[in-house]
Amino acid sequence: MLGQLIRVNEGRENATWTYKYDLGGNILEKKKYAYVHNLQGNVAALIDVGKCQ
């Protein structure tokens, strides 16, 4: 579906959240990753820190 949020960088948590949906638009998965920067300030890696229930 168009217009769905699939990734959010959350500065207060120093984390990145990703979302997956089914065809009806329901959230199937929400994952939290550590937000890691390289020297230029871009995201260098996503490190999985577990799934949310």
Side-chain angles (χ1 to χ4, degrees), residues 7 9 14 16 35-45:
R7 181 175 168 166
N9 293 322
N14 199 31
T16 295
Y35 189 61
V36 180
H37 298 270
N38 65 15
L39 295 177
Q40 287 77 37
N42 298 319
V43 176

Side-chain angles (χ1 to χ4, degrees), residues 4-25:
Q4 291 176 327
L5 183 65
I6 58 170
R7 181 175 168 166
V8 175
N9 293 322
E10 179 56 65
R12 293 174 297 191
E13 294 182 31
N14 199 31
T16 295
W17 289 92
T18 60
Y19 301 87
K20 290 186 182 177
Y21 301 87
D22 65 15
L23 294 177

